[in-house]
Amino acid sequence: MSGHSKWATTKHKKAVVDARRGKLFAKLIKNVEVAARTGGADPAGNPTLYDAVQKAKRSSVPNDNIDRAIRRGAGLEAGGAAYEPVTYEGYAPGGVAVLVECLTDNRHRAAADVRTALTRNGGSMADPGSVSYLFNRKGVVIVGKAAGPAEDDLLAAVLDAGAEEVTDLGESFEVVSDAADLVAVRTALQQAGIDYESAEAAFLPSVEVPLDEEQARRVFRLIEAIEDSDDVQDVYANYSVPDDIMEKLG
């Protein structure tokens, strides 16, 4: 199980903690609003919006909140902000590369938040392009094992749709494809009657940095600090941590 997958699992567990639920809801709603503004209000014709809506629903965001975000994004209701995507690059302790994706209506605030979180936790900002080459944009679909498919059935459903790799994460399967094939893979699962937990484009590392327990603790603390910014949507890092350390820190 690779580093990005372990961090995704950790984030999923933290997402259900009540203290962070409001912040999570706000980020998911912002993602829905931007998707609707970019590709239109119809999820059937806007795959990015469809996946954003599904992600919000699976995190228990109320349907009314989702509907209002779609209307704001599509210009059908007042109150929408001019959010724009921006990516920052940096380094965490141990030489771990970090990519930070934001949706913000204030670039200066977002940059300051990310810089502060990095520098206060033993990291540093990096020049554009100095970190991003270590990651590849991929489609990532997580399929839960509980009441889910056998691995052979999952493979049969997704391989012809463009899946490059299916990895057993313990409680779920991770299906990785080219980002351009994400919709095809997700559609193939739906047609096969296979439910999935999430489907999104993500940055996966091409090279991973192994961490010991203390380094992992410091890196996780830094990532949590970055994610605390309202402008931050996703944080990707190219670390690798053994299972026993993950269980201890989880």
Side-chain angles (χ1 to χ4, degrees):
M1 185 163 70
S2 58
H4 71 272
S5 299
K6 292 177 180 176
W7 180 242
T9 301
T10 302
K11 287 200 298 183
H12 176 72
K13 291 177 180 177
K14 293 195 309 181
V16 300
V17 178
D18 288 343
R20 297 180 62 90
R21 188 178 296 270
K23 188 177 290 289
L24 173 66
F25 279 15
K27 293 185 179 187
L28 293 170
I29 284 297
K30 184 188 295 186
N31 198 32
V32 169
E33 185 175 327
V34 171
R37 178 175 296 114
T38 303
D42 181 11
N46 182 350
T48 302
L49 176 60
Y50 179 90
D51 290 331
V53 168
Q54 293 305 308
K55 186 175 182 180
K57 287 183 175 181
R58 290 175 188 275
S59 295
S60 301
V61 176
N63 288 333
D64 286 349
N65 294 28
I66 295 172
D67 292 340
R68 285 198 298 272
I70 293 174
R71 292 180 61 81
R72 285 196 304 271
L76 303 174
E77 182 175 310
Y83 297 118
E84 61 175 325
V86 58
T87 301
Y88 298 104
E89 303 179 32
Y91 291 101
V96 171
V98 179
L99 276 184
V100 183
E101 286 193 317
C102 298
L103 284 176
T104 183
D105 56 357
N106 187 325
R107 280 175 170 258
H108 297 296
R109 180 188 64 225
D113 284 354
V114 173
R115 184 183 301 276
T116 298
L118 283 165
T119 55
R120 287 183 178 176
N121 291 277
S124 62
M125 292 286 276
D127 294 331
S130 59
V131 163
S132 57
Y133 78 95
L134 294 169
F135 296 83
N136 296 310
R137 192 70 162 172
K138 294 290 185 180
V140 180
V141 181
I142 302 298
V143 179
K145 286 186 178 180
E151 186 169 4
D152 288 346
D153 294 333
L154 177 61
L155 287 167
V158 300
L159 286 180
D160 288 341
E164 299 173 354
E165 182 182 4
V166 175
T167 304
D168 188 337
L169 302 182
E171 296 180 357
S172 60
F173 293 109
E174 177 188 64
V175 183
V176 175
S177 68
D178 189 271
D181 293 325
L182 174 61
V183 174
V185 170
R186 183 245 290 159
T187 301
L189 289 171
Q190 293 170 328
Q191 292 175 342
I194 297 174
D195 194 20
Y196 59 90
E197 295 179 1
S198 64
E200 57 191 330
F203 283 104
L204 304 189
S206 56
V207 178
E208 295 183 340
V209 178
L211 301 180
D212 59 27
E213 182 177 339
E214 181 54 33
Q215 290 172 324
R217 194 184 307 275
R218 295 177 64 196
V219 170
F220 292 171
R221 188 181 303 124
L222 178 145
I223 291 175
E224 288 180 10
I226 295 174
E227 288 189 318
D228 200 46
S229 169
D230 292 337
D231 291 318
V232 172
Q233 285 288 310
D234 290 294
V235 181
Y236 305 100
N238 70 333
Y239 63 82
S240 176
V241 179
D243 290 341
D244 59 331
I245 293 179
M246 283 300 301
E247 290 176 6
K248 189 179 299 185
L249 298 180

